[in-house]
Amino acid sequence: MKLICIGRNYTEHIAELENEKPDDPVVFLKPDTAILLKKQPFFIPDFSEDVHHEVEILVKINRVGKHIDRKFAHKYYNEIGLGIDFTARDLQSKLKAKGLPWEKAKGFDGAAVVGKWLPKTEFEDVNAIEFSLKKNDNIVQKGNTSHMLWKIDELIEYVSKYFTLKIGDIIFTGTPAGVGKVVANDKLKGFIEDNQLFSITVK
Ligand code: ZN
């Protein structure tokens, strides 16, 4: 299976959406080995001094598809989750400055937190899901899928032009504002509305 991640899919300035919307979503992959094993702490890798949390809504693909039209995209997933796209920001910045791919900064072991899944049927509207991340019991990130530049169905249409989607693939749909550094002993808890979907400790 693969993890398909979307970069920069939210803006705080809703009124300016049209102006700020880039031409295409930013897409990158993480290997399946990036998934943080259940009940394991997240270990800050020794090659970074500045690992950031990015809380994101996840979508689990349940049908094989290629060139999926956005009209039919809703048939390709039936579970919604929440996770973290951990990012070694210092390494990413170095690689970006050189025009190099940033896989090492995003795809290292443990860099993908995948929380519990909820059936899509629990949501009245997948384009109005509220979610948040608490760090040591303070809310540090808060988002709503209504603020996505590209909605879930549009993302499925877009990424399936390039990659065949397979059962079990996970789409990380991008992070809202508030990303920040984690340090040892931080506790991170992710919520969709009042539902806690993961709790992890940083080491
Ligand atoms: Zn991200």
Side-chain angles (χ1 to χ4, degrees), residues 5-8 28 54-56 85 87 106 172-175:
C5 306
I6 306 301
R8 312 198 67 191
F28 58 94
E54 296 188 355
V55 71
E56 313 199 357
D85 163 19
T87 305
K106 290 271 199 184
F172 279 65
T173 60
T175 194

Side-chain angles (χ1 to χ4, degrees), residues 1 44 52 66 79 81 96-97 103 124 127 129 136 150-151 165 168 175 180 188 190 195 197 203:
M1 56 88 75
I44 296 173
H52 282 195
K66 170 96 179 153
E79 286 177 286
K96 268 164 95 172
E103 266 75 3
E124 229 167 89
N127 295 320
I129 298 174
N136 309 326
W150 284 276
K151 303 292 190 253
L165 299 182
T175 194
L188 300 170
N195 234 320
L197 297 180
K203 298 249 165 152

